[in-house]
Amino acid sequence: MAGGGGRPRCPPGALLSVAAVVVAVGWVRAEQKEEQSIDLIGKNEVYGDTRHKVNVYVKVFTNSPFLVCMDLALSQERIIDPNYLWTGPDGRDLQGQNYVNLTETGKLMLMGFMVSMSGAYTCTLSHKVIETTTQEEIEMVEAYKFMVYAYREADHAYQVSVRFSTTGCRLTNNGLFIEVLKKILNSSISHLTCHITESSYKCHSVRTPKNGLQYELFVNFLVNPFAPGWEEVCQEISYDCEDETNRRVRQAAERIGKFFHQLKHVLKYEFQAVPTIQYVDNSFSMTPIDSCQPGFGKNHYTHQNCASCCVVCGPGTYSPNHEVICRTCARPHARSLDMRRKENQVSETKERGSNRLQSSAFRRINSGYGSLLE
């Protein structure tokens, strides 16, 4: 599977430890027939299906649910002399591998799941069926395929929009006000290793029914969880850091929201140098922005039961930066066709140009000879 490293982008905290189980089982339950109502979530198990592959999503650095080498219906029957053979994405036998937990009943758990472990896991179940009357033994072989994907929680940030009234758009104090505001906000969230980025503002004239024409500053900025020092915080954590950074940026966003709700009081005491600028009531809004780490992306169609997850990019796709989707790789064959097409166009252009030069030269020669003949 394609993947990537790096860093700089959820279920609630109580659910994080079982996210992979719920996601995986949720997919399988959607595939089961309605009459099969066994509660699979409590069992932490995902059953196979001979008709199609079963998608399973495992959060990085966690253990997968148990992948069961049979379908749900067969699990309710007696099986004679069962034999299980599990193979990984590289086609090798998984028996004896240190990152798997294989039970004698054919269940597979992948331990400490890594991005490189993503791929197709296949179990071949062979067992006997004995005819009641003749006691004839018939060997049955069935294969179950699981597509196991590594996923991460999306990295969260928050886009903030807010407006302020001012006495004019060309005032020097407008820029000063934004800089002071940014410093105050940064100081209030720096202990969370979060900071304000991508700040900008524009001044517009606005006509209102009550106040007539007035001027307003439209301010936008991003509450970002990756302020200097976040790497040191993550080094203290034995698991992946995104849960911690998401928790911190959520706290930072809450602090900023509280700040703007109290801004009338803050402006009165903090911004005495620029009293002409006032907060526009109820203009504060905050929008969560998700991004995925390189090598991961969201796909609501391919991964419907893990739509909010940043799933490892599959073969033929990639994500070089912190986008939300995996891009499709350009096909070398298509590129070569394009190159040949362009080369042909260039060749044709040169040929036409050469023909035009030859015709022009021919006309000049004819003209010269014509003058000599006169």
Side-chain angles (χ1 to χ4, degrees), residues 54-75:
V54 175
N55 286 1
V56 182
Y57 302 92
V58 184
K59 188 174 180 180
V60 291
F61 307 121
T62 67
N63 299 337
S64 75
F66 275 109
L67 310 183
V68 185
C69 188
M70 64 185 66
D71 57 41
L72 187 57
L74 186 60
S75 70

Side-chain angles (χ1 to χ4, degrees), residues 166-175 201 203 215 217:
T166 181
T167 56
C169 282
R170 297 185 178 181
L171 294 178
T172 304
N173 281 342
N174 291 340
Y201 78 95
C203 186
Y215 299 96
L217 303 177

